[in-house]
Amino acid sequence: MRSVILLTAALAACVALAACGGYQFPGGGSSGGTGTVSGKVVAVPCAPVERVGSPCPGRPVQGLVLTLTSSSREQVTATTDAAGQYAVELKAGTWTVAFKSFMRIISGPTAVTVSAGGTVVANYVLDSGIRVPQPAA
């Protein structure tokens, strides 16, 4: 009889510990998973003179470092490749996007929201700074 009581108590303790193992305290720890942010960065215009009817679709920006910052101030970086592509895995949540460059952002999000297991595509178009030459005075 005593061994049945001990066995039952041990089994109940195991069940209780297993049930507590999955508990997460509110507001603590990670938000549960990661997602991917990827995209392409191009610069326009490509040259000071473009042909009428066939504008440059954008020149890929290679070696640009994107800094993504979470609401808890965690920073992750991604660098564009030769095709202007980048990809980074981030914890679920909202991340601000910034990069240091002489080029100005024409289009692209300043923040991305990542969900666990999700994919976010964030493409950017930058102003290359190329301007049409002005006639000499």
Side-chain angles (χ1 to χ4, degrees), residues 27-129:
S30 70
S31 54
T34 61
T36 303
V37 176
S38 63
K40 184 172 184 175
V41 181
V42 296
V44 295
C46 300
V49 179
E50 293 182 350
R51 292 184 180 186
V52 175
S54 62
C56 170
R59 174 183 50 82
V61 179
Q62 179 179 8
L64 182 69
V65 177
L66 288 87
T67 303
L68 297 105
T69 306
S70 71
S71 56
S72 64
R73 303 272 187 241
E74 178 182 356
Q75 289 190 335
V76 177
T77 60
T79 304
T80 57
D81 63 14
Q85 302 279 351
Y86 72 93
V88 63
E89 189 171 330
L90 300 170
K91 292 179 185 175
T94 300
W95 296 75
T96 58
V97 183
F99 43 85
K100 291 183 181 178
S101 175
F102 67 90
M103 295 183 275
R104 177 180 61 88
I105 298 174
I106 295 173
S107 70
T110 57
V112 292
T113 300
V114 179
S115 58
T119 300
V120 176
V121 176
N123 295 319
Y124 294 89
V125 177
L126 307 180
D127 180 353
S128 67

